[in-house]
Amino acid sequence: METVERFVVIVLFDRVDLLDVTGPPEVFALLQREMNGATGYHVALAAETLDPVTTSAGVRVLPDVTFAELAGRRIDTLVVPGSVEVDGDGRVRALSDPAVVARVRELAARTRRVASVCVGAHILADAGLLDGKRATTHWSTAQQLAAEHPAVDVDADPIFIRDENVWTGAGLTACLDLALALVADDFGDALALRVARQLVMFLKRPSGQSQFSVSLERISTTRRIDDLRHHIARHLAEPLTVADLAARAHVSERQLTRIFKTDLGTTPAAYIESARVEFARNQLETTDHTLERVATLSGFNTTDTLTRAFRRTLDTTPTEYRNRFRIN
């Protein structure tokens, strides 16, 4: 069978995140091993010049080609990594060089599909490639992306999102999930799963799987909320009604809801469900408990309630989740 050429261009620029650059090519290389032959993927690192590019890790990377040399050439997949700066208070902000944005916009016009890795979504957004589309990015810069680009439907939860020919990925290691999804799109799930095993990954995470755990959510600003969060974590199997939590915090139910919305961006009920789902995920990954037992321990009480919560938050079922992520 004739091998289809898939020319993959990865954009390089100063202070780019190293794993964003090296992760996808590793996935493509492992695919070649699994296929025992040519895959058709030809990866090129492109930059403004052929001078070494210093990544955020301090490692220097040599470009294969300049942007100018790509003029007129058709590209199968354009991969756009990201870069961040962190201020003295630990706040993370995605960076976007206007010159790089212009190059990405130009290259995307003759590309079959475009994919951003981590905060590379900010570059796609600045290039106008995400307008009217649903997209994700690293959870730490999702609010920035939404604030700066109201035309983008930002969803900070999934590992990756595909909207037509534009793909966006979440955190750094999610570049592997995104690359596996591209492989699955080109060659099917079976080969992608074989590559995932080579990477010693939990097979293939579904695009809808959350990049969050409740421990990664924003830090609360009051001790009262922190105390409630610890109380919830220790008593997941109990009813945990809003009335009981409000009484424990010595506030009204309405005030408790307002505090949760202000501090955590969610409601008490939604937060409790997230905590229960995370606990259930851990049980499914690390134990042989029956679904009935997992439902009881996590406070869902019935397998039907557990399943509905998984479908609502992870777009999968407890059984499917365990099959994908069981730690043997």
Side-chain angles (χ1 to χ4, degrees), residues 12-287:
L12 289 184
F13 48 87
D14 192 48
R15 304 300 297 170
V16 66
D17 286 326
L18 178 62
L19 188 56
D20 288 4
V21 173
T22 59
E26 186 66 25
V27 171
F28 301 145
L30 288 173
L31 173 66
Q32 183 170 335
R33 181 193 303 176
E34 287 297 325
M35 293 181 68
N36 195 28
T39 63
Y41 285 123
H42 171 57
V43 180
L45 306 183
E48 194 63 44
T49 72
L50 293 179
D51 295 334
V53 172
T54 302
T55 67
S56 60
V59 176
R60 294 193 300 169
V61 178
L62 287 175
D64 299 304
V65 64
T66 66
F67 294 131
E69 289 170 337
L70 291 174
R73 184 166 182 182
R74 294 294 302 176
I75 299 169
D76 180 82
T77 305
L78 180 67
V79 179
V80 181
S83 179
V84 300
E85 63 179 2
V86 183
D87 66 19
D89 295 322
R91 289 186 293 262
V92 178
R93 182 170 182 80
L95 301 177
S96 185
D97 184 336
V100 175
V101 170
R103 289 297 192 182
V104 167
R105 185 186 298 113
E106 174 188 321
L107 294 172
R110 54 178 186 276
T111 298
R112 180 175 72 90
R113 65 183 173 193
V114 178
S116 66
V117 182
C118 197
V119 298
H122 293 258
I123 296 175
L124 295 191
D126 284 348
L129 300 176
L130 297 184
D131 287 354
K133 296 186 182 298
R134 180 168 167 259
T136 192
T137 186
H138 192 274
W139 60 268
S140 65
T141 67
Q143 289 186 344
Q144 176 191 347
L145 182 61
E148 294 178 352
H149 298 279
V152 180
D153 180 10
V154 180
D155 187 345
D157 202 38
I159 295 293
F160 64 87
I161 290 175
R162 176 185 185 178
D163 191 330
E164 297 179 343
N165 69 326
V166 179
W167 304 60
T168 50
L172 286 171
T173 57
C175 69
L176 302 178
D177 295 280
L178 179 63
L180 284 168
L182 298 177
V183 168
D185 190 49
D186 292 335
F187 295 97
D189 288 342
L191 272 172
L193 292 176
R194 281 160 56 184
V195 175
R197 293 188 184 99
Q198 291 290 337
L199 290 164
V200 198
M201 292 176 65
F202 296 135
L203 300 182
K204 181 169 69 74
R205 290 188 277 187
S207 64
Q209 186 183 337
S210 173
Q211 61 172 305
F212 287 113
S213 71
V214 291
S215 61
L216 287 179
E217 291 175 353
R218 71 176 88 169
I219 298 171
S220 55
T221 58
T222 65
R223 184 177 298 277
R224 175 182 291 164
I225 289 294
D226 276 339
D227 288 343
L228 284 177
R229 292 173 78 175
H230 289 303
H231 175 77
I232 290 169
R234 292 193 300 267
H235 299 87
L236 289 175
E238 299 175 16
L240 291 175
T241 66
V242 174
D244 290 339
L245 293 177
R248 182 178 179 85
H250 305 293
V251 296
S252 68
E253 293 181 39
R254 176 178 291 185
Q255 187 176 357
L256 180 73
T257 298
R258 186 165 56 250
I259 292 171
F260 263 77
K261 289 290 287 184
T262 300
D263 267 35
L264 302 179
T266 188
T267 65
Y271 180 85
I272 291 168
E273 180 174 86
S274 296
R276 283 176 167 154
V277 166
E278 180 176 346
F279 180 84
R281 286 167 59 181
N282 178 265
Q283 294 294 300
L284 293 170
E285 292 170 5
T286 62
T287 76

